[in-house]
Amino acid sequence: MSITTLLLLPLAGFLGGIALAALAPASKSPRASGAIQKFVAVAGFALLFVEALATRSAADASRVELWLFGFPLHFAMTQLSWYFIAMVTGITLVTVLFSLQGLRDDGKYPLYYVWLFAKTFGMLGVLLANDLLSFFIMWEVMSWCTYFLLQQGGERAKRAAGGYLVYAVVAGMLLFAGLMYVLFHVGSVEFDAIGKAFAGFSAGSVIAALVLILIPMLIEAAAYPAHWWLPSAYANAETGISAYLAAISTRIGIYGMTFFLFAGFGLSVINIASANKFANVQEVLMVIGAFTMVVPTFTALFQHDAKELMTWHSIGQGGYMIVGIASSTTLGVAGGLFHVFNHMTYVSLILFSIAAVEYRTGTTNLNKLGGLIKRQPIAYLGLLFGIIGLAGIPPMNGFVSKWLIYRALILSGHPFIALSAFIATLGTILSVYKLIHNMFLGQLPERYNDIKEVGWGMRLPIIFMMAVVWLTGIFPGTILGVIAGIQKSLGLEALQYTTYGVAQGAGQLNMLVINIIFIAALLVSWLIYLAGGKRKHIGQYDNYAAGHFLDASIPYNYNYDFYAGMDHIFGPALHKPPVKRLEQSIGAVVLNASEYLRRLFTGNVTTYAAYVVAAAVVVLLALGGGR
Amino acid sequence: MSVLSLIVWIIAYPLITFAIGVLLGGYERKFAARVERRIGPSWIQPFYDVVKLMTKKTNISHGYMHDVAILMLLGGTVLTLYFVPVPGFGYFAQYGDFLVISYLLLIPSLGMALGVGETANPNGSIGISRALQMLAGYEVPFILTFIGVAMKNQTTSMLDLIKIQQAGGIATWGLVAHPLLGVAALIALQGMLNEKPFEVIIAPHEIATGPMTEMAGKYLGIMFIQHLIAVPLELTLYINLFLGGAANWLEYIVKLFVLWTGLISVSMVFGRFRIDSAVKFMWKISLPLAALGVVGIMLNIA
């Protein structure tokens, strides 16, 4: 029953929300309507999260059959899907709690929670789907819900959502083609039957099916070069939604990839598809992953909007997951899957902090912010913890997963992929410093002198996520245990983990030792600091500027050309990227073609009649020719 | 290792490293003076500098992050130090390999960057922007040389790498076995230590000592202490990876001073690169050398 509950609960939330909106429009009594929505959302998502945690025992056990228009749709829970379901429901709950205060009651987002329910329904459906047809149907549901969710937030959001839709439709078409391919060659959409048939297929046929199914997953995961939809779509959405989408929605692609490469068909597809030297799926995925890590990360370096900068990173971090999982080693898969969790925690934390700043200042433009550490210290700390996790620096959780991935890549003989991962990390440090510097450090502009820290409704989720990012860095074993279980169910060797990291056999790592020494070293440094004279805090204009006098009339913000040296080196390649140009020219061609196509619709009945006659003639000729 | 000797090592290790750092720093100044036909300051001049700065009465700060950053700077460096094995003390190295060290080394950089950011000084920000770009410059070739060595020996643990080199003699030293990697890492080390021609971060005549512009009194003093610990630490990394580690302290000190003499000699005869030239030099000279070395190792393994 529990799987059914997981599916029906968000669906009920969605339908109920729609009904409520239709019966009692928000315009009549916005306060009451908002309060009801909030209450239902919190209750619903809390219930969903509890239900998800409680159903772990159902993993690998039960299979549910639902009937849709006479077709059976199968749903079941595996260890892998449970991991993702727990993350989806958990982060949705945190996002909702953050949005209670973070989302202003100005009626701009009337159906925010409703579409959140719908999107969650779509994602849970994809995660629970247990045959290819259900997977495809739920995939489409999820894509459309993403589209509607992205639209929340003004004109620009609507346009950007349109951009997403184009990619989503392409992905859906390819997945449909994959479904058809499998249906014609295997004659069944059941995973078991497909697996049995695949075992007897040539490597080429398996790769053909796999490519059709994998490309949609990579598009959803915003892998290079199909990543262009993401930045504008996520950056223009409401910040709470950006956090939610960047944290987990994109990662459904990673789930799909893992599922179909390892477990989906009951056999290790990646081994069949990587046996051939010339069409080696594993190597191709790794190269895609490497590009996904490096290119978006360095693009982020030159962004001027906090949210946009972060969305580029969200793409880049996906590269680590792809590389780790594609390596198909114990360490790599563990690192890739753990990185999904870590990325979810620190990206939502960073975007919550950005949302807190946006809430007070009304902007995320890095050119306009600065010096806010003195006004919003909690948001600053949130961003600091988040960027340390994002850059993968100890003691936060991001380090553990990156460590696993590096080790896997080095030991399995992929030095240059490992190097790309490291280059991406350095690019990350550069750009997140730019982010935190231009928001919180440097000079505080006069106009922000009077702003205050956000309320506890937003502070608490930030503090909670900070704790998660740090604690899972000290005790990575809590999550690695779940991942070891997944690896067992995928037929891989399970990672040897300990509560504090990785066991001796897999190359020891102990995060507790690192944390204890770090804290001790900080304390000793503090003692040395105290041994010196008394310190005095001074104002921001009391500063050395080589003979100039600094005052409010000389604003100092460094966002533009912050990394001038890097700009000299990468600028030409990044400011006019070939993929973007290709996309634009395809767009232009399609636009022109549709312009001509549009002229067919004259609005004149006689013309339409002529079309019908012409079509009839063509059909008759074709039939006659066939005879 | 008994508990008592472990405790003694934990306390003594940073102090010994600091003492070595003072001697290396004094040696550098003496060396530079002799090259320029001066007498130069005392051998332990860096220690006097630290004492002077730490006892200053005026210590100005721009806010709490400025204060915390200086702790992150020193604390992060000491933290890294414990994971770098030296003769007789490699206890903590078993809990973290070279990958851990390379990431821990980023904590001081980040700490300094955050603190300088809060000082709201334009020169400081330029310095940090350069420091981070330089970081990307030298870390990339340096990490690739490590990846090569680690892949060849199928381990990322520094203890194992030292053991392998000690057992095999000079022929298995990283510099001898993989000369391309050794040279590439040496160039990167020059940048890591912020020696000329890569001394773009401080650049006193251009940007008023960059990150140090608003640092004075005990803040500057702690930065000095950190630098004096970081120099032997980074030299030790190279020694452990490419010069066979060291079996005893005499060998270790000799290797430190020989390596340091080579690096500061290069520093004596160069001017300063522009920031993009410095990064490009790393990526056009050092990185391809390392890449060639790694390709060689891959062909060797296959």
Side-chain angles (χ1 to χ4, degrees):
Chain A
M1 271 317 283
S2 52
I3 293 175
T4 330
T5 323
L6 280 179
L7 283 172
L8 293 184
L9 196 62
L11 187 61
F14 168 64
L15 295 177
I18 291 279
L20 184 74
L23 293 174
S27 52
K28 274 188 186 160
S29 57
R31 286 188 71 92
S33 156
I36 295 173
Q37 280 198 26
K38 280 176 180 173
F39 177 76
V40 172
V42 172
F45 284 113
L47 207 60
L48 200 60
F49 182 53
V50 171
E51 181 69 22
L53 289 184
T55 41
R56 191 178 179 192
S57 53
D60 294 333
S62 55
R63 194 159 184 252
V64 175
E65 212 173 61
L66 297 176
W67 291 82
L68 186 76
F69 305 125
F71 287 101
L73 298 180
H74 295 103
F75 294 94
M77 191 187 279
T78 61
Q79 295 283 349
L80 181 67
S81 57
W82 182 79
Y83 177 53
F84 276 84
I85 286 167
M87 287 195 287
V88 167
T89 49
I91 199 67
T92 316
L93 181 60
V94 177
T95 310
V96 166
L97 290 174
F98 183 80
S99 299
L100 291 183
Q101 200 174 55
L103 197 72
R104 286 181 187 280
D105 287 331
D106 53 7
K108 243 171 97 182
Y109 313 105
L111 294 175
Y112 176 87
Y113 297 108
V114 174
W115 285 114
L116 215 50
F117 269 118
K119 168 78 181 161
T120 309
F121 167 67
M123 286 201 285
L124 292 183
V126 169
L127 294 172
L128 288 169
N130 204 248
D131 63 60
L132 207 51
L133 183 65
S134 332
F135 189 89
F136 170 71
I137 292 173
M138 294 318 297
W139 183 268
E140 284 298 298
V141 170
M142 181 185 74
S143 298
W144 281 98
C145 293
T146 312
Y147 169 69
F148 287 115
L149 192 58
L150 282 173
Q151 281 197 327
Q152 306 284 309
E155 248 343 278
R156 291 182 52 152
K158 285 201 173 65
R159 283 193 53 183
Y164 164 75
L165 194 63
V166 174
Y167 280 88
V169 166
V170 171
M173 291 295 167
L174 282 168
L175 192 59
F176 187 68
L179 176 69
M180 286 297 137
Y181 184 93
V182 168
L183 203 58
F184 280 122
H185 286 81
V186 181
S188 169
V189 292
E190 295 282 329
F191 287 147
D192 288 344
I194 298 172
K196 277 189 194 115
F198 271 14
F201 277 14
S202 71
S205 320
V206 175
I207 290 176
L210 195 62
V211 164
L212 286 175
I213 295 174
L214 270 191
I215 291 178
M217 302 303 131
L218 292 174
I219 293 177
E220 178 70 17
Y224 184 87
H227 61 286
W228 282 100
W229 62 268
L230 193 143
S232 57
Y234 286 11
N236 286 316
E238 198 276 324
T239 312
I241 299 180
S242 307
Y244 170 73
L245 290 170
I248 197 69
S249 166
T250 328
R251 302 305 155 219
I252 300 297
I254 300 291
Y255 163 79
M257 195 183 120
T258 319
F259 187 74
F260 288 117
L261 281 178
F262 295 104
F265 303 130
L267 78 170
S268 179
V269 176
I270 192 166
N271 286 344
I272 303 174
S274 308
N276 191 316
K277 212 170 187 180
F278 296 101
N280 188 328
V281 170
Q282 187 179 2
E283 299 290 332
V284 171
L285 279 175
M286 282 210 169
V287 173
I288 289 175
F291 273 99
T292 313
M293 286 186 279
V294 176
V295 178
T297 306
F298 277 84
T299 313
L301 212 56
F302 305 108
Q303 301 304 314
H304 303 298
D305 182 275
K307 270 160 77 180
E308 205 152 330
L309 192 149
M310 271 321 297
T311 52
W312 280 104
H313 276 300
S314 181
I315 302 172
Q317 296 298 308
Y320 287 91
M321 304 166 200
I322 295 175
V323 165
I325 289 163
S327 77
S328 79
T329 58
T330 304
L331 286 170
V333 173
L337 289 176
F338 191 28
H339 205 62
V340 176
F341 174 84
N342 294 341
H343 171 270
M344 176 188 82
T345 54
Y346 55 66
V347 153
S348 51
L349 174 57
I350 291 173
L351 282 164
F352 286 167
S353 300
I354 293 175
V357 168
E358 191 188 13
Y359 188 82
R360 285 296 186 218
T361 63
T363 181
T364 54
N365 187 336
L366 292 177
N367 288 317
K368 293 181 179 159
L369 298 165
L372 289 169
I373 180 174
K374 299 206 166 58
R375 297 290 176 271
Q376 297 195 288
I378 300 287
Y380 169 78
L381 279 179
L383 189 63
L384 180 62
F385 273 52
I387 66 169
I388 293 178
L390 177 67
I393 298 175
M396 303 304 167
N397 58 11
F399 172 71
V400 184
S401 46
K402 283 192 178 176
W403 183 87
L404 287 165
I405 294 169
Y406 286 129
R407 222 180 117 77
L409 292 174
I410 293 173
L411 296 184
S412 66
H414 292 95
F416 292 104
I417 307 284
L419 182 70
S420 331
F422 204 85
I423 292 176
T425 296
L426 291 167
T428 309
I429 294 179
L430 260 68
S431 57
V432 292
Y433 179 68
K434 174 176 157 169
L435 178 72
I436 200 166
H437 177 268
N438 290 313
M439 282 173 79
F440 287 100
L441 305 173
Q443 273 184 7
L444 181 73
E446 296 281 295
R447 62 181 174 279
Y448 298 137
N449 264 342
D450 299 328
I451 65 168
K452 286 198 291 272
E453 180 63 280
V454 288
W456 283 102
M458 294 168 86
R459 271 188 234 181
L460 283 177
I462 290 178
I463 293 169
F464 173 72
M465 290 315 282
M466 278 164 65
V468 171
V469 167
W470 193 10
L471 288 177
T472 49
I474 303 177
F475 307 103
T478 45
I479 312 291
L480 287 175
V482 178
I483 290 169
I486 295 173
Q487 287 184 314
K488 245 181 253 164
S489 77
L490 294 184
L492 290 163
E493 201 186 318
L495 179 77
Q496 295 168 281
Y497 67 98
T498 64
T499 315
Y500 310 117
V502 176
Q504 186 83 52
Q508 205 163 11
L509 175 74
N510 192 324
M511 292 302 285
L512 186 68
V513 169
I514 293 177
N515 272 282
I516 290 175
I517 302 181
F518 189 33
I519 291 167
L522 282 178
L523 283 176
V524 171
S525 309
W526 189 51
L527 291 179
I528 296 174
Y529 173 84
L530 288 181
K534 203 167 177 292
R535 67 127 158 70
K536 190 179 138 202
H537 278 169
I538 56 172
Q540 61 179 349
Y541 299 121
D542 201 349
N543 219 315
Y544 173 79
H548 293 284
F549 290 98
L550 294 177
D551 59 52
S553 67
I554 308 173
Y556 146 56
N557 177 300
Y558 240 53
N559 171 46
Y560 185 75
D561 242 5
F562 193 69
Y563 295 116
M566 287 288 166
D567 212 11
H568 281 208
I569 300 171
F570 291 115
L574 289 176
H575 294 318
K576 270 206 165 180
V579 182
K580 188 76 185 166
R581 267 181 292 180
L582 180 71
E583 193 199 68
Q584 277 167 352
S585 43
I586 292 177
V589 169
V590 171
L591 212 62
N592 283 326
S594 3
E595 180 61 29
Y596 282 107
L597 205 62
R598 196 176 62 82
R599 290 186 191 167
L600 293 176
F601 300 96
T602 54
N604 188 337
V605 182
T606 16
T607 340
Y608 292 145
Y611 291 157
V612 172
V613 173
V617 169
V618 170
V619 169
L620 282 176
L621 280 178
L623 289 176
R627 193 184 301 149
Chain B
M1 184 172 261
S2 71
V3 178
L4 185 69
S5 70
L6 182 64
I7 292 171
V8 171
W9 266 113
I10 287 174
I11 296 167
Y13 186 31
L15 297 176
I16 295 173
T17 313
F18 176 68
I20 294 174
V22 168
L23 289 178
L24 288 171
Y27 173 63
E28 182 186 16
R29 296 184 66 169
K30 211 69 175 167
F31 189 90
R34 290 297 152 88
V35 170
E36 292 161 1
R37 302 196 176 200
R38 293 183 283 118
I39 294 175
S42 148
W43 276 85
I44 54 167
Q45 184 60 37
F47 180 67
Y48 296 145
D49 291 346
V50 168
V51 171
K52 182 196 79 175
L53 288 167
M54 292 303 294
T55 50
K56 284 259 183 192
K57 277 183 184 156
T58 320
N59 298 291
I60 55 159
S61 150
H62 280 273
Y64 291 105
M65 195 60 219
H66 190 163
D67 308 340
V68 173
I70 215 76
L71 307 183
M72 265 176 88
L73 181 69
L74 183 57
T77 310
V78 173
L79 165 66
T80 319
L81 189 65
Y82 281 109
F83 290 90
V84 179
V86 288
F89 184 59
Y91 180 76
F92 290 111
Q94 59 177 314
Y95 296 116
D97 55 5
F98 184 83
L99 292 170
V100 173
I101 295 173
S102 66
Y103 269 82
L104 291 178
L105 268 177
L106 299 174
I107 297 178
S109 305
L110 185 68
M112 184 174 76
L114 292 169
V116 172
E118 184 158 40
T119 65
N121 185 296
N123 287 315
S125 288
I126 297 174
I128 288 303
S129 154
R130 289 183 177 192
L132 292 176
Q133 291 175 71
M134 205 54 224
L135 181 80
Y138 63 74
E139 279 284 338
V140 171
F142 194 78
I143 204 76
L144 186 57
T145 60
F146 162 73
I147 290 172
V149 173
M151 199 173 67
K152 177 79 201 332
N153 296 308
Q154 281 296 302
T155 177
T156 54
S157 157
M158 212 150 203
L159 286 172
D160 290 349
L161 289 173
I162 296 172
K163 246 183 243 159
I164 291 167
Q165 294 180 71
Q166 300 253 320
I170 292 186
T172 56
W173 283 15
L175 188 60
V176 181
H178 320 291
L180 289 174
L181 296 183
V183 172
L186 203 56
I187 299 174
L189 188 65
Q190 187 86 359
M192 195 185 278
L193 289 162
N194 193 25
E195 292 287 338
K196 276 178 264 183
F198 304 111
E199 184 227 16
V200 289
I201 304 168
I202 309 294
H205 324 97
E206 263 182 88
I207 51 171
T209 66
M212 291 167 0
T213 314
E214 281 296 308
M215 299 286 177
K218 62 178 177 181
Y219 295 88
L220 193 58
I222 292 179
M223 277 181 99
F224 271 40
I225 297 174
Q226 184 268 346
H227 180 70
L228 293 174
I229 294 176
V231 168
L233 189 160
E234 283 158 10
L235 293 175
T236 311
L237 283 186
Y238 188 84
I239 291 172
N240 285 349
L241 280 181
F242 293 102
L243 298 177
N248 53 52
W249 275 82
L250 184 67
E251 189 189 339
Y252 175 56
I253 303 264
V254 168
K255 279 180 178 172
L256 271 179
F257 272 85
V258 169
L259 182 59
W260 184 232
T261 311
L263 293 175
I264 56 180
S265 311
V266 172
S267 165
M268 289 295 121
V269 293
F270 271 102
R272 181 163 60 232
F273 274 149
R274 220 174 54 202
I275 173 66
D276 47 339
S277 314
V279 174
K280 268 189 191 163
F281 186 89
M282 286 293 179
W283 288 357
K284 280 191 172 166
I285 311 283
S286 186
L287 185 61
L289 278 179
L292 266 180
V294 171
V295 170
I297 289 173
M298 286 174 85
L299 293 175
N300 209 355
I301 289 177

